[in-house]
Amino acid sequence: MKKEIVEGIVIENLPDTTFKVKLSTGQEIFAYLSGKMRVNYIKIVPGDEVIVELSPYDKSKGRIIRRK
């Protein structure tokens, strides 16, 4: 299965490095921080533009893979 990659803006910080992200399509999803971003201590704050990889099984969840 191919994963869909979209851009979005972080709206809210949630516990355990999860975030509420508004996608460029207008949809709001829950996204967690990828392992490489955790290891390299890359911080995400509300208002940041991010690139998200959507889950092929549940389009309301995703993984933040890069901060712009």
Side-chain angles (χ1 to χ4, degrees):
M1 291 193 145
K2 188 173 180 181
K3 297 178 182 172
E4 187 178 348
I5 296 177
V6 293
E7 294 183 11
I9 297 176
V10 176
I11 298 173
E12 181 181 354
N13 287 351
L14 300 170
D16 299 327
T17 65
T18 57
F19 303 89
K20 193 176 232 184
V21 178
K22 184 166 187 163
L23 302 179
S24 56
T25 60
Q27 180 184 4
E28 289 186 7
I29 66 165
F30 290 106
Y32 65 93
L33 207 56
S34 71
K36 279 193 172 186
M37 292 185 74
R38 286 184 190 189
V39 166
N40 293 309
Y41 299 106
I42 296 174
K43 304 297 180 194
I44 303 286
V45 295
D48 280 350
E49 292 184 19
V50 293
I51 297 177
V52 179
E53 191 176 63
L54 291 179
S55 168
Y57 304 108
D58 185 0
K59 297 296 181 185
S60 67
K61 292 183 171 57
R63 175 173 58 185
I64 297 173
I65 57 174
R66 177 166 286 174
R67 186 180 77 185
K68 290 179 90 177

